[in-house]
Amino acid sequence: MRITSAISIAVLSVIVVIMLISVGSMYEATYGSSGSINVVNENVTYSPSGVTLNAVLSASNNGFLPANLQFVNQSLSIPGNSNGLMKISFPLNTSALLNGSFPVKNVIMNVSLLLHMASYVFSVMVPLTLKGIKILAPLENFTLMNIMSRGNGSYLLNTSFIDLVPGFLNLTSITVLLGSTIIGNFNMSGIMQQGPHTTASFVVNNVVDQKGPVNLTFKAGVFTWQVNSQLMW
């Protein structure tokens, strides 16, 4: 009886080892160093809350069992020995964009993410890096061209910039601040049209006892940037 039990345990152990080796081999063949998840294409879209990266991923399942690829609330079921495409969208890091001087300068960044791959016998996290993503600046090279006094602390500011993205953040105006004080709004209506070069003017008020070079802060949605100019008030 003990011999039979020992033989059964030995056989079961062999089966378990074979299954583990089989699962490991299937995982390596499907999601191993050769890689089975690739980026087909990507693009960015703009909204009042920031910039969203949209990508299409191509996933291959070289194993015999069906697998499910998940990223946040998006998923793709892939039968065994099959391929599939999955669309994903996620917001880009606002701080990283601001560190790259967005939205007045183009930003090139790499984005790393983790996708969850699950099957009947394994569940793993698959890393993926999207490299060299170019985020075009909606207000490239935004500069102040000249300042004209209108009296009583009111000034007309003339700007120049390269407009690459029509309808940036769907905004009608950009808030202008001197320090922490709002002094005006840059009206964007009718300005944001795709073109090589754009000039626009706007009025700021309540500029009390301001002398010397201009140091203004502009706020558009979740993005802020500063314009430091040697132009005098």
Side-chain angles (χ1 to χ4, degrees), residues 9 15 26 40 52 58 76 90 133 135 137 151 181 184 188 214 229:
I9 293 174
I15 293 174
M26 180 176 62
V40 177
T52 298
S58 173
L76 172 68
F90 56 96
I133 300 170
I135 316 298
T181 303
M188 304 298 289
V214 176
S229 173

Side-chain angles (χ1 to χ4, degrees), residues 37-38 40-41 54-59 68-78 84-89 113 115-116:
I37 301 176
N38 300 295
V40 177
N41 60 59
N54 311 291
V56 177
L57 306 180
S58 173
N68 187 59
L69 181 64
Q70 294 181 324
F71 178 76
V72 192
N73 60 346
Q74 298 141 102
S75 63
L76 172 68
S77 296
I78 315 173
L85 295 176
M86 183 171 76
K87 296 181 179 180
I88 63 172
S89 298
L113 57 150
L115 296 97
H116 181 221

